[in-house]
CSV table of all heavy atoms in Angstrom, one decimal:
chain,number,residue,atom,x,y,z
A,19,PRO,N,59.0,-85.6,-246.1
A,19,PRO,CA,60.2,-86.1,-246.8
A,19,PRO,C,61.5,-85.6,-246.1
A,19,PRO,O,61.5,-84.5,-245.6
A,19,PRO,CB,60.0,-85.5,-248.2
A,19,PRO,CG,58.6,-85.1,-248.3
A,19,PRO,CD,58.1,-84.8,-247.0
A,20,LYS,N,62.5,-86.4,-246.2
A,20,LYS,CA,63.7,-86.1,-245.5
A,20,LYS,C,64.9,-86.2,-246.5
A,20,LYS,O,65.0,-87.2,-247.2
A,20,LYS,CB,64.0,-86.9,-244.3
A,20,LYS,CG,63.0,-86.6,-243.1
A,20,LYS,CD,63.2,-87.5,-241.9
A,20,LYS,CE,62.2,-87.2,-240.8
A,20,LYS,NZ,60.9,-87.4,-241.2
A,21,TYR,N,65.8,-85.3,-246.4
A,21,TYR,CA,67.0,-85.4,-247.2
A,21,TYR,C,68.2,-85.9,-246.4
A,21,TYR,O,68.5,-85.4,-245.3
A,21,TYR,CB,67.4,-84.0,-247.7
A,21,TYR,CG,68.7,-83.9,-248.5
A,21,TYR,CD1,68.8,-84.4,-249.8
A,21,TYR,CD2,69.8,-83.3,-247.9
A,21,TYR,CE1,70.0,-84.3,-250.4
A,21,TYR,CE2,71.0,-83.2,-248.5
A,21,TYR,CZ,71.1,-83.7,-249.8
A,21,TYR,OH,72.3,-83.6,-250.4
A,22,ALA,N,68.9,-86.9,-246.9
A,22,ALA,CA,70.1,-87.4,-246.2
A,22,ALA,C,71.3,-87.1,-247.1
A,22,ALA,O,71.3,-87.5,-248.3
A,22,ALA,CB,70.0,-88.9,-246.0
A,23,SER,N,72.2,-86.4,-246.6
A,23,SER,CA,73.4,-86.0,-247.4
A,23,SER,C,74.2,-87.1,-247.8
A,23,SER,O,75.0,-87.1,-248.8
A,23,SER,CB,74.2,-84.9,-246.7
A,23,SER,OG,74.7,-85.5,-245.5
A,24,SER,N,74.2,-88.2,-247.1
A,24,SER,CA,75.0,-89.4,-247.4
A,24,SER,C,74.3,-90.7,-246.9
A,24,SER,O,73.9,-90.8,-245.7
A,24,SER,CB,76.4,-89.3,-246.8
A,24,SER,OG,77.2,-90.4,-247.1
A,25,ALA,N,74.1,-91.7,-247.8
A,25,ALA,CA,73.6,-92.9,-247.4
A,25,ALA,C,74.1,-94.0,-248.4
A,25,ALA,O,74.6,-93.6,-249.5
A,25,ALA,CB,72.1,-92.9,-247.5
A,26,THR,N,74.1,-95.2,-248.0
A,26,THR,CA,74.7,-96.3,-248.9
A,26,THR,C,73.6,-97.2,-249.3
A,26,THR,O,72.9,-97.8,-248.4
A,26,THR,CB,75.8,-97.0,-248.2
A,26,THR,OG1,76.8,-96.1,-247.8
A,26,THR,CG2,76.4,-98.1,-249.1
A,27,ILE,N,73.4,-97.3,-250.6
A,27,ILE,CA,72.3,-98.1,-251.1
A,27,ILE,C,72.8,-99.5,-251.6
A,27,ILE,O,73.9,-99.6,-252.2
A,27,ILE,CB,71.6,-97.4,-252.3
A,27,ILE,CG1,71.1,-96.1,-251.9
A,27,ILE,CG2,70.5,-98.3,-252.9
A,27,ILE,CD1,72.0,-94.9,-252.3
A,28,LEU,N,72.1,-100.5,-251.2
A,28,LEU,CA,72.5,-101.9,-251.7
A,28,LEU,C,71.4,-102.4,-252.6
A,28,LEU,O,70.2,-102.4,-252.3
A,28,LEU,CB,72.6,-102.8,-250.4
A,28,LEU,CG,73.0,-104.3,-250.6
A,28,LEU,CD1,73.7,-104.8,-249.4
A,28,LEU,CD2,71.8,-105.2,-250.9
A,29,PHE,N,71.8,-102.8,-253.8
A,29,PHE,CA,70.9,-103.4,-254.8
A,29,PHE,C,71.4,-104.9,-254.9
A,29,PHE,O,72.6,-105.2,-255.1
A,29,PHE,CB,71.0,-102.7,-256.1
A,29,PHE,CG,69.8,-101.8,-256.3
A,29,PHE,CD1,70.0,-100.4,-256.3
A,29,PHE,CD2,68.5,-102.3,-256.6
A,29,PHE,CE1,68.9,-99.6,-256.4
A,29,PHE,CE2,67.5,-101.4,-256.8
A,29,PHE,CZ,67.7,-100.1,-256.7
A,30,ALA,N,70.5,-105.8,-255.0
A,30,ALA,CA,70.8,-107.2,-255.3
A,30,ALA,C,69.8,-107.8,-256.3
A,30,ALA,O,68.6,-107.5,-256.2
A,30,ALA,CB,70.8,-108.1,-254.0
A,31,ASP,N,70.3,-108.6,-257.2
A,31,ASP,CA,69.4,-109.1,-258.3
A,31,ASP,C,69.9,-110.5,-258.7
A,31,ASP,O,71.1,-110.7,-258.8
A,31,ASP,CB,69.4,-108.2,-259.5
A,31,ASP,CG,68.3,-108.5,-260.5
A,31,ASP,OD1,67.3,-109.2,-260.1
A,31,ASP,OD2,68.5,-108.2,-261.7
A,32,PHE,N,69.0,-111.4,-258.9
A,32,PHE,CA,69.4,-112.8,-259.3
A,32,PHE,C,69.7,-112.9,-260.7
A,32,PHE,O,68.9,-112.3,-261.6
A,32,PHE,CB,68.2,-113.7,-258.9
A,32,PHE,CG,68.1,-113.9,-257.4
A,32,PHE,CD1,67.0,-113.3,-256.7
A,32,PHE,CD2,69.0,-114.7,-256.7
A,32,PHE,CE1,66.9,-113.5,-255.4
A,32,PHE,CE2,68.8,-114.9,-255.3
A,32,PHE,CZ,67.8,-114.2,-254.7
A,33,LYS,N,70.7,-113.7,-261.1
A,33,LYS,CA,71.0,-113.9,-262.5
A,33,LYS,C,70.1,-114.9,-263.1
A,33,LYS,O,69.8,-116.0,-262.4
A,33,LYS,CB,72.5,-114.4,-262.6
A,33,LYS,CG,72.9,-114.8,-264.0
A,33,LYS,CD,74.3,-115.5,-264.0
A,33,LYS,CE,74.6,-116.0,-265.3
A,33,LYS,NZ,75.9,-116.7,-265.3
A,34,ASN,N,69.6,-114.7,-264.3
A,34,ASN,CA,68.8,-115.7,-265.0
A,34,ASN,C,67.5,-116.1,-264.3
A,34,ASN,O,67.1,-117.3,-264.5
A,34,ASN,CB,69.6,-116.9,-265.4
A,34,ASN,CG,70.8,-116.5,-266.4
A,34,ASN,OD1,70.7,-115.6,-267.2
A,34,ASN,ND2,71.8,-117.3,-266.3
A,35,PHE,N,67.0,-115.2,-263.5
A,35,PHE,CA,65.8,-115.6,-262.7
A,35,PHE,C,64.6,-115.8,-263.7
A,35,PHE,O,63.8,-116.7,-263.5
A,35,PHE,CB,65.4,-114.5,-261.7
A,35,PHE,CG,64.3,-114.8,-260.8
A,35,PHE,CD1,64.4,-115.7,-259.8
A,35,PHE,CD2,63.0,-114.3,-261.2
A,35,PHE,CE1,63.3,-116.0,-259.0
A,35,PHE,CE2,61.9,-114.7,-260.4
A,35,PHE,CZ,62.0,-115.5,-259.3
A,36,SER,N,64.5,-115.0,-264.7
A,36,SER,CA,63.4,-115.2,-265.7
A,36,SER,C,63.4,-116.6,-266.3
A,36,SER,O,62.4,-117.2,-266.5
A,36,SER,CB,63.5,-114.1,-266.8
A,36,SER,OG,63.4,-112.8,-266.2
A,37,LEU,N,64.6,-117.1,-266.6
A,37,LEU,CA,64.7,-118.5,-267.2
A,37,LEU,C,64.2,-119.5,-266.2
A,37,LEU,O,63.5,-120.5,-266.5
A,37,LEU,CB,66.1,-118.8,-267.6
A,37,LEU,CG,66.6,-117.9,-268.8
A,37,LEU,CD1,68.1,-118.3,-269.1
A,37,LEU,CD2,65.8,-118.1,-270.0
A,38,LEU,N,64.6,-119.3,-264.9
A,38,LEU,CA,64.1,-120.2,-263.9
A,38,LEU,C,62.6,-120.2,-263.7
A,38,LEU,O,62.0,-121.2,-263.5
A,38,LEU,CB,64.8,-119.9,-262.6
A,38,LEU,CG,64.5,-120.8,-261.3
A,38,LEU,CD1,64.9,-122.2,-261.5
A,38,LEU,CD2,65.0,-120.2,-260.0
A,39,ALA,N,62.1,-118.9,-263.8
A,39,ALA,CA,60.6,-118.8,-263.6
A,39,ALA,C,59.8,-119.5,-264.7
A,39,ALA,O,58.7,-119.9,-264.5
A,39,ALA,CB,60.2,-117.3,-263.7
A,40,GLU,N,60.4,-119.7,-265.9
A,40,GLU,CA,59.8,-120.4,-267.0
A,40,GLU,C,59.8,-121.9,-266.8
A,40,GLU,O,58.9,-122.6,-267.3
A,40,GLU,CB,60.4,-120.1,-268.3
A,40,GLU,CG,60.3,-118.6,-268.7
A,40,GLU,CD,61.1,-118.3,-270.0
A,40,GLU,OE1,61.7,-119.2,-270.5
A,40,GLU,OE2,61.1,-117.1,-270.4
A,41,ARG,N,60.7,-122.5,-265.9
A,41,ARG,CA,60.9,-123.9,-265.8
A,41,ARG,C,60.3,-124.4,-264.4
A,41,ARG,O,60.1,-125.6,-264.3
A,41,ARG,CB,62.3,-124.3,-265.9
A,41,ARG,CG,63.0,-123.9,-267.2
A,41,ARG,CD,64.4,-124.6,-267.3
A,41,ARG,NE,65.2,-124.4,-266.2
A,41,ARG,CZ,66.2,-123.5,-266.1
A,41,ARG,NH1,66.3,-122.7,-267.2
A,41,ARG,NH2,67.0,-123.4,-265.1
A,42,VAL,N,60.1,-123.5,-263.5
A,42,VAL,CA,59.7,-124.0,-262.2
A,42,VAL,C,58.2,-123.6,-261.9
A,42,VAL,O,57.8,-122.5,-262.3
A,42,VAL,CB,60.6,-123.3,-261.1
A,42,VAL,CG1,60.1,-123.7,-259.7
A,42,VAL,CG2,62.0,-123.7,-261.3
A,43,GLU,N,57.5,-124.5,-261.3
A,43,GLU,CA,56.1,-124.2,-260.9
A,43,GLU,C,56.0,-123.0,-260.0
A,43,GLU,O,56.9,-122.7,-259.2
A,43,GLU,CB,55.4,-125.4,-260.3
A,43,GLU,CG,55.9,-125.8,-259.0
A,43,GLU,CD,55.2,-127.0,-258.4
A,43,GLU,OE1,54.4,-127.7,-259.2
A,43,GLU,OE2,55.4,-127.3,-257.3
A,44,PRO,N,54.9,-122.2,-260.0
A,44,PRO,CA,54.8,-121.0,-259.3
A,44,PRO,C,55.0,-121.1,-257.8
A,44,PRO,O,55.8,-120.3,-257.2
A,44,PRO,CB,53.3,-120.5,-259.5
A,44,PRO,CG,53.0,-121.1,-260.9
A,44,PRO,CD,53.7,-122.4,-260.9
A,45,ALA,N,54.5,-122.2,-257.1
A,45,ALA,CA,54.6,-122.3,-255.7
A,45,ALA,C,56.1,-122.5,-255.3
A,45,ALA,O,56.6,-121.9,-254.3
A,45,ALA,CB,53.8,-123.5,-255.2
A,46,ALA,N,56.8,-123.3,-256.1
A,46,ALA,CA,58.2,-123.6,-255.8
A,46,ALA,C,59.0,-122.3,-256.1
A,46,ALA,O,60.0,-122.0,-255.3
A,46,ALA,CB,58.7,-124.7,-256.7
A,47,LEU,N,58.6,-121.6,-257.1
A,47,LEU,CA,59.4,-120.3,-257.4
A,47,LEU,C,59.3,-119.3,-256.2
A,47,LEU,O,60.3,-118.8,-255.8
A,47,LEU,CB,58.8,-119.7,-258.7
A,47,LEU,CG,59.6,-118.5,-259.2
A,47,LEU,CD1,60.9,-118.8,-259.7
A,47,LEU,CD2,58.8,-117.8,-260.3
A,48,VAL,N,58.0,-119.1,-255.8
A,48,VAL,CA,57.8,-118.2,-254.6
A,48,VAL,C,58.5,-118.7,-253.4
A,48,VAL,O,59.1,-118.0,-252.6
A,48,VAL,CB,56.3,-118.0,-254.4
A,48,VAL,CG1,56.1,-117.2,-253.1
A,48,VAL,CG2,55.6,-117.4,-255.6
A,49,GLY,N,58.5,-120.0,-253.2
A,49,GLY,CA,59.2,-120.6,-252.0
A,49,GLY,C,60.7,-120.4,-252.1
A,49,GLY,O,61.3,-120.1,-251.0
A,50,THR,N,61.2,-120.5,-253.3
A,50,THR,CA,62.7,-120.2,-253.4
A,50,THR,C,63.0,-118.7,-253.1
A,50,THR,O,64.0,-118.5,-252.3
A,50,THR,CB,63.1,-120.5,-254.9
A,50,THR,OG1,62.8,-121.9,-255.1
A,50,THR,CG2,64.6,-120.3,-255.1
A,51,LEU,N,62.2,-117.8,-253.7
A,51,LEU,CA,62.4,-116.4,-253.4
A,51,LEU,C,62.3,-116.1,-251.9
A,51,LEU,O,63.1,-115.4,-251.3
A,51,LEU,CB,61.5,-115.5,-254.2
A,51,LEU,CG,61.9,-115.1,-255.6
A,51,LEU,CD1,60.8,-114.2,-256.2
A,51,LEU,CD2,63.2,-114.4,-255.6
A,52,ASP,N,61.3,-116.8,-251.3
A,52,ASP,CA,61.0,-116.5,-249.9
A,52,ASP,C,62.2,-117.0,-249.0
A,52,ASP,O,62.6,-116.3,-248.1
A,52,ASP,CB,59.8,-117.2,-249.4
A,52,ASP,CG,59.4,-117.0,-248.0
A,52,ASP,OD1,59.1,-115.8,-247.6
A,52,ASP,OD2,59.5,-117.9,-247.2
A,53,GLN,N,62.8,-118.1,-249.4
A,53,GLN,CA,63.9,-118.6,-248.7
A,53,GLN,C,65.1,-117.6,-248.7
A,53,GLN,O,65.7,-117.3,-247.7
A,53,GLN,CB,64.4,-120.0,-249.2
A,53,GLN,CG,65.5,-120.6,-248.5
A,53,GLN,CD,66.0,-121.9,-249.1
A,53,GLN,OE1,65.7,-122.2,-250.3
A,53,GLN,NE2,66.8,-122.6,-248.4
A,54,TYR,N,65.4,-117.1,-249.9
A,54,TYR,CA,66.5,-116.2,-250.0
A,54,TYR,C,66.2,-114.8,-249.3
A,54,TYR,O,67.0,-114.3,-248.6
A,54,TYR,CB,66.8,-116.0,-251.5
A,54,TYR,CG,67.6,-117.1,-252.1
A,54,TYR,CD1,67.0,-117.9,-253.1
A,54,TYR,CD2,68.9,-117.3,-251.8
A,54,TYR,CE1,67.7,-119.0,-253.6
A,54,TYR,CE2,69.7,-118.4,-252.4
A,54,TYR,CZ,69.0,-119.2,-253.3
A,54,TYR,OH,69.7,-120.2,-253.9
A,55,PHE,N,65.0,-114.3,-249.7
A,55,PHE,CA,64.7,-112.9,-249.1
A,55,PHE,C,64.5,-112.9,-247.6
A,55,PHE,O,64.8,-111.9,-247.0
A,55,PHE,CB,63.4,-112.4,-249.8
A,55,PHE,CG,63.7,-112.0,-251.2
A,55,PHE,CD1,62.6,-111.6,-252.1
A,55,PHE,CD2,64.9,-111.8,-251.8
A,55,PHE,CE1,62.8,-111.2,-253.4
A,55,PHE,CE2,65.1,-111.4,-253.0
A,55,PHE,CZ,64.1,-111.0,-253.9
A,56,THR,N,64.0,-114.0,-247.1
A,56,THR,CA,63.9,-114.1,-245.6
A,56,THR,C,65.3,-114.0,-244.9
A,56,THR,O,65.5,-113.3,-244.0
A,56,THR,CB,63.1,-115.4,-245.2
A,56,THR,OG1,61.8,-115.4,-245.7
A,56,THR,CG2,63.1,-115.5,-243.7
A,57,ALA,N,66.2,-114.8,-245.6
A,57,ALA,CA,67.6,-114.7,-245.1
A,57,ALA,C,68.2,-113.3,-245.2
A,57,ALA,O,68.9,-112.8,-244.3
A,57,ALA,CB,68.5,-115.7,-245.8
A,58,PHE,N,67.9,-112.6,-246.3
A,58,PHE,CA,68.4,-111.3,-246.6
A,58,PHE,C,67.8,-110.3,-245.5
A,58,PHE,O,68.5,-109.5,-245.0
A,58,PHE,CB,68.0,-110.8,-248.0
A,58,PHE,CG,68.6,-111.5,-249.1
A,58,PHE,CD1,68.3,-111.2,-250.4
A,58,PHE,CD2,69.6,-112.5,-248.9
A,58,PHE,CE1,68.9,-111.9,-251.5
A,58,PHE,CE2,70.2,-113.2,-249.9
A,58,PHE,CZ,69.8,-112.9,-251.2
A,59,ASP,N,66.5,-110.5,-245.2
A,59,ASP,CA,65.9,-109.6,-244.2
A,59,ASP,C,66.6,-109.7,-242.9
A,59,ASP,O,66.8,-108.7,-242.2
A,59,ASP,CB,64.4,-110.0,-244.0
A,59,ASP,CG,63.5,-109.6,-245.2
A,59,ASP,OD1,64.0,-108.8,-246.1
A,59,ASP,OD2,62.4,-110.1,-245.3
A,60,GLU,N,67.0,-110.9,-242.5
A,60,GLU,CA,67.6,-111.1,-241.2
A,60,GLU,C,69.0,-110.4,-241.2
A,60,GLU,O,69.4,-109.8,-240.2
A,60,GLU,CB,67.8,-112.6,-240.9
A,60,GLU,CG,66.4,-113.3,-240.6
A,60,GLU,CD,66.5,-114.8,-240.4
A,60,GLU,OE1,67.7,-115.3,-240.5
A,60,GLU,OE2,65.5,-115.4,-240.2
A,61,ILE,N,69.7,-110.6,-242.3
A,61,ILE,CA,71.0,-109.9,-242.5
A,61,ILE,C,70.9,-108.4,-242.4
A,61,ILE,O,71.7,-107.8,-241.7
A,61,ILE,CB,71.7,-110.5,-243.8
A,61,ILE,CG1,72.0,-111.9,-243.7
A,61,ILE,CG2,73.0,-109.7,-244.0
A,61,ILE,CD1,72.4,-112.6,-245.0
A,62,ILE,N,70.0,-107.9,-243.2
A,62,ILE,CA,69.8,-106.4,-243.2
A,62,ILE,C,69.5,-105.9,-241.8
A,62,ILE,O,70.1,-104.9,-241.4
A,62,ILE,CB,68.7,-106.1,-244.2
A,62,ILE,CG1,69.1,-106.4,-245.7
A,62,ILE,CG2,68.3,-104.6,-244.1
A,62,ILE,CD1,70.3,-105.7,-246.1
A,63,ALA,N,68.6,-106.5,-241.1
A,63,ALA,CA,68.3,-106.1,-239.8
A,63,ALA,C,69.5,-106.2,-238.8
A,63,ALA,O,69.7,-105.3,-238.0
A,63,ALA,CB,67.1,-106.9,-239.2
A,64,ARG,N,70.3,-107.2,-239.0
A,64,ARG,CA,71.4,-107.5,-238.1
A,64,ARG,C,72.5,-106.4,-238.3
A,64,ARG,O,73.1,-106.0,-237.3
A,64,ARG,CB,72.0,-108.9,-238.4
A,64,ARG,CG,73.1,-109.2,-237.4
A,64,ARG,CD,73.3,-110.8,-237.4
A,64,ARG,NE,73.7,-111.3,-238.7
A,64,ARG,CZ,73.0,-112.1,-239.5
A,64,ARG,NH1,71.8,-112.5,-239.0
A,64,ARG,NH2,73.4,-112.6,-240.6
């Protein structure tokens, strides 16, 4: 384990995602999340 005296944490969360999950079929829901999170991964790495 390592201690860092200073780091910056980024949290992101979708609004009303639970309501969307109730209306959208599972495959489409996972596809939507994958589209967003894949884009986030590229930004985070960049």
